[in-house]
Amino acid sequence: MSKLNKDLVFLILQFLNEEGFTESAHMLERESRFYFDMKFFEDMILDGKWEDVEQYLSSFTKVDDNRYSTKIYFEIRKQNFFEALDGHDIAKALNILKKDLKDFAPGNEELFKELAQLLTLDDIRDHELLSKYYGDALSARKNMMLELKQIIEANPILQGKLKFPSIKRQRLRRLINQSLNWQHVHCANPQPNPDINTLFVDHVCQLQETDFSGQSSESNALPPQTTQSPSSWNFSSSMLTDSAVSFVALSLSDPTNKVAVTMDRPEDSDILSEKSPVRILNEQASTVTYPGVSLKNIPDYSPKSSLKKEMFQSFGETSVSDFPKTVAQTLIEGSSSPMSMDFHPVQHTLLLVGTNVGDTGLWDVNSGQKLFIRNFKVWDIGACSMLFKTALVRDPGVSVNRVVWSPDGSLLGVAYSKHIVQLYAYHGGSDARQQLEIDAHVGNVNDLAFSAPCKQISVITCGDDKTIKVWDAVTGSRTYSFEGHGAPVYSLCPHAKENIHFIFSISVDGKIKAWLYDSLGARVDYDAPGLGCTRMAYSANGRRLFSCGTSKEGESFLVEWNESEGAIKRTYQGLQLQHNSVSVVHFDTAKDQILAAGDDHVIKIWDMNKVQLLTTIDAGGGLPENPRICFNKNGTLLAVIANENRIKILETPESNSVDAAGVLSDNLRKLSVNPISTVTGAGIANGSVSVNEDPKDVKPEISVEAENKSEVEKPLFARPSECQSLLLPSKVKANKISRLTYNNGGQAIFALASNGVHLMWRWPRNDLTLSTEATTKVPPRLYQPRHGPQFMVNDTTDSNSQEAVPCFALSKNDAYLFSASGGVISLYIVMTFKTILTIMPPSPTATSLAFNPHDNNVIAIGMDDSTILIYNARSSEVISKLEGHSKRVTGLVFSDALNILVSSGGDAQIFVWDVDGWGIQTCRSLQTPDGVMTLAPSETHIQFHKDQTRFLLVHETHLAIYEAEELTCLKQWFPISSVPISQATFSCDCRMVFTSFVDGTLSIHEASNLEVQCRILSTAYLRPTTSCLHVYPHAIAAHPLKPTQFAVGLTNGEVYVIEPNEPGDTWAVLPPDEIVGDQPTSTSEGDRAMDG
């Protein structure tokens, strides 16, 4: 087959997949044997469709083609055999053995006999090898697929068939449209409105009389599903109410304008076609593009015009300095994540922000002050529907989906993740008053917008119930309800042209509909590029329409719609394929010149008139994969949501502190805003670090906090009513809790007591919470398997319980637990509590454990004799022995990003080891405030920040934050009181540090500077009978998904889970009704923070 024929097959495959004919596509793959779809093959493997797997594979290679093919078939049939045995289907297993696996018996007789012997076992895991490597069917399939990928890639028969060619989307449609345009250009009598009804014969225009009397008819030239222009969507006058006029603003024929033909850039247009002459808003003539044809050969329908000349006359060249790119301010939202932003339309430095816990706040970005914050609260629960009440009881957590100002800035609207919309009347400053609460939709309210169709302000909402609704913003009455989408409605774009008001709505499946303010239904029904979540927006002057969205496959599209031709005018280049298909690219426009989108951890900038990417802005780093962005209305400021709940404010380079647009003053550009002080009106906290300053360059400096702080009162939680705590139930007598951790999903807690007994609690699903995550609202159950051992108990033979250092490590898939309590190290299966492996003699004993993130079979073991062993559990051998510490090793942690192992010990030293060669990369001793080395033996623990480049060090005398590669100390904190620290840990978002002391006090620190944000006395979380005893937390663990929840394990064997009273609360402030009154004093009051 020729190369072009092969290319045609690939184009057909692309077309079939884009149109949803996937079965036909896979049949063509098998028949042509040009492309082996690894993803499709893997999906069948993971689904256990063994017959389909072999059928697809057999089209490309046979079992005896080569040793690679033989190995592939053997692994597939062996897995099918194991699963039949695991399901106790002996007849099926015997049939597989006799028919499928017998092909591999010659030369492998012993292996075949061993497979046959498995038929005699009640449980295949009783086999020595399978007990280690076969957990469940799905995990076994995943492991097998990893091996098969390597074999398939090495198989010569499949080489060159595993990668689909890089082809621009809808290439086959493009070629057909180009062919039709070429045929149309060469017609003997080309007409401005060609009638193309078939592809079976060449197109020839029929000579017809010119008609200037009415609306242009729609072209039939194979329009792609994703490239229809909203402005070509005609609304006939018969469909309008008596008071409305024909929809002349969107598309009407113009007898005075003929089509102006020019050569545009071919890459700027996805589909090339000719349309009838129409009027557009700026009165410029529309253009028709003819690929590959010079201007001299095009029939002269009208005076020629230059598109580029028109572009420069209208907009001018865009300069790199014309848009905000300099970080001037950083706002910190505390423990809540910003979800939506909108600048005030008149006061350009006021930024409205909604968060994932339902809070709505207003920032003055010029001063860095938060003017107000409104926590989520239902104003009138009696007026709400029973569905909403039920949803709120089952899951009280509510997030803000959208915040937006009305056009004049007098109203602000908030759309929530459950049913309701709230409107506030804004009177300037911090004065925002409750206006309306509307129970708008069932489920999420995904978007809202303001409009004034009859000179009466209205609010428009859309939601998961597939509807769009229009509400009177004064009375709250519903004026219109639009139905017709087949999926939840994702976004809205209301607009008006020549006094005709309309609404675009886009559902999550990419369907675009347009509505007039009447009851006659949707006027159009088209597809957005990529058929995914998409938003549309007009330029500031209302003349140009853009959309941006991301498909389910992670492909993103930023396009401009052609207002006259009924096709996409430009597809902007530079957006990356999203690795996380759940994430959606967000965009905004500015100054009628600039397009910006958050993508690939940066802000990408385009000139509206050019498809090529103009530049990117990293905003100093720390941006998520698809950061949300928002320009202010005059384009001088750009807000972007960064990691760690921050909002960065960018300004234009030429801005200055006295500019009327409200740009930032120079003396605040380097400061980060303290969330506590902005709420309380206390100003910027001491010790703030410049956002442009490298932490490594900060010299050691000790700052002493005043005993009495008038500016910022540190909240002190002393009574049980001030926070939620839950004592985990246990009928087992446990000694001091030595180690504590959540599982990776946050549904269970593991505790290791000093007597070697493990306790495991799991939270059930119930009516109060739809998830199984740990919560103080619902007590968990002490988990014990139905069969086998009831507890995991470590060997404590010949060990001194007072000197032993219990330790454990949970694998990243939560399936295995390595643990030791002064004796041998045991490897447990978590679900069955069975011990499947014991390693190491009892002396020297293990004192710390850590799994290698790259390989669950490799574990680092810190020993009592100061050495570190790198052990491979699969091969039962020591890979390397690391020596450097002088006392026992008490802390071990891997950095996946830096490929290093960090260790700490009782010798007050930190070592960094290179994982590749296991050599020492660097080491450093801990320092006291006086510069004296801390030599007293003490457990030192370490934990990596989520960025994997910094870590928290916990010593009984202080806390510290280190940069990992060079061991640069960035920050230290020392309690003035002599009460030792017992343990500390990062919160899951690494915004806070939870710390426990041996007097029972807990303190919560801001992770960036280790300043204490609040303290919790033991009387607030312990039972009265316990708090009066000398009992304190010896172990502490943070919930992996909830930033404000943590658990503590006490010296008396009890475990408590602690979190704020309400899901949306933070630890920074007391509940309103608890702020007044005398509070007890803390034993740890007055601390020293040292910049290192």
Side-chain angles (χ1 to χ4, degrees), residues 544-708:
R544 306 177 70 175
L545 179 63
F546 303 89
S547 72
C548 182
T550 303
S551 70
K552 294 179 180 178
E553 293 75 27
E555 190 172 5
S556 298
F557 303 86
L558 176 61
V559 302
E560 180 181 4
W561 295 90
N562 192 303
E563 291 272 280
S564 61
E565 293 186 7
I568 285 177
K569 183 175 183 179
R570 291 183 179 87
T571 297
Y572 295 91
Q573 302 169 1
L575 293 178
Q576 299 296 316
L577 184 68
Q578 304 301 312
H579 301 294
N580 176 13
S581 60
V582 178
S583 184
V584 177
V585 172
H586 295 265
F587 85 116
D588 203 358
T589 69
K591 296 184 177 180
D592 297 322
Q593 291 179 302
I594 298 298
L595 285 172
D599 178 52
D600 198 24
H601 305 281
V602 296
I603 305 167
K604 297 184 176 180
I605 304 292
W606 291 265
D607 181 332
M608 283 183 178
N609 303 309
K610 299 178 182 178
V611 298
Q612 293 83 8
L613 183 65
L614 179 63
T615 188
T616 62
I617 306 169
D618 66 1
L623 301 185
E625 183 177 9
N626 298 128
R628 296 172 185 259
I629 60 174
C630 179
F631 283 104
N632 70 347
K633 298 306 181 279
N634 59 10
T636 58
L637 298 177
L638 173 61
V640 56
I641 296 177
N643 292 329
E644 300 179 349
N645 302 338
R646 295 173 298 161
I647 302 173
K648 295 188 177 184
I649 306 299
L650 284 65
E651 66 174 0
T652 52
E654 69 273 11
S655 299
N656 55 71
S657 60
V658 297
D659 183 68
V663 287
L664 309 173
S665 56
D666 292 335
N667 64 331
L668 288 180
R669 290 181 182 178
K670 298 180 181 180
L671 295 179
S672 297
V673 178
N674 185 305
I676 307 301
S677 61
T678 56
V679 174
T680 60
I684 306 299
N686 294 330
S688 297
V689 180
S690 166
V691 294
N692 298 319
E693 190 172 5
D694 191 339
K696 295 181 183 179
D697 299 331
V698 179
K699 302 300 181 183
E701 179 182 348
I702 299 177
S703 60
V704 181
E705 293 183 344
E707 291 286 342
N708 298 314

Side-chain angles (χ1 to χ4, degrees), residues 61 77 96 191 233 237 443 528 573 580 650:
T61 183
R77 294 175 183 180
I96 296 172
Q191 301 298 310
W233 301 338
S237 57
Q573 302 169 1
N580 176 13
L650 284 65

Side-chain angles (χ1 to χ4, degrees), residues 795 797-799 803-805 807 820-825 839-849 861-869 881 883 887-889:
D795 171 42
T797 306
D798 299 329
S799 66
E803 297 180 0
V805 181
C807 54
S821 297
V824 297
I825 304 171
I839 58 175
M840 300 296 166
S843 180
T845 61
T847 53
S848 58
L849 299 166
I861 307 172
M863 307 297 289
D864 187 62
D865 66 351
S866 79
T867 61
I868 302 171
L869 302 181
K881 182 177 182 179
E883 296 181 338
K887 296 185 183 297
R888 66 187 182 196
V889 180

Side-chain angles (χ1 to χ4, degrees), residues 879-955:
I879 300 173
S880 184
K881 182 177 182 179
L882 314 183
E883 296 181 338
H885 286 284
S886 59
K887 296 185 183 297
R888 66 187 182 196
V889 180
T890 57
L892 288 171
V893 63
F894 283 92
S895 170
D896 197 5
L898 301 179
N899 204 32
I900 59 175
L901 170 69
V902 181
S903 64
S904 64
D907 55 0
Q909 285 190 306
I910 316 169
F911 281 79
V912 176
W913 311 85
D914 182 5
V915 170
D916 292 331
W918 299 112
I920 297 177
Q921 185 168 304
T922 186
C923 65
R924 176 161 298 187
S925 299
L926 305 186
Q927 301 291 323
T928 67
D930 300 324
V932 180
M933 191 176 300
T934 306
L935 296 177
S938 175
E939 287 192 30
T940 304
H941 300 280
I942 47 181
Q943 178 191 12
F944 261 108
H945 189 279
K946 67 179 181 180
D947 65 9
Q948 294 282 294
T949 63
R950 295 171 287 167
F951 63 84
L952 170 69
L953 181 138
V954 184
H955 189 268

Side-chain angles (χ1 to χ4, degrees), residues 7 474 776:
D7 288 353
V474 177
T776 56

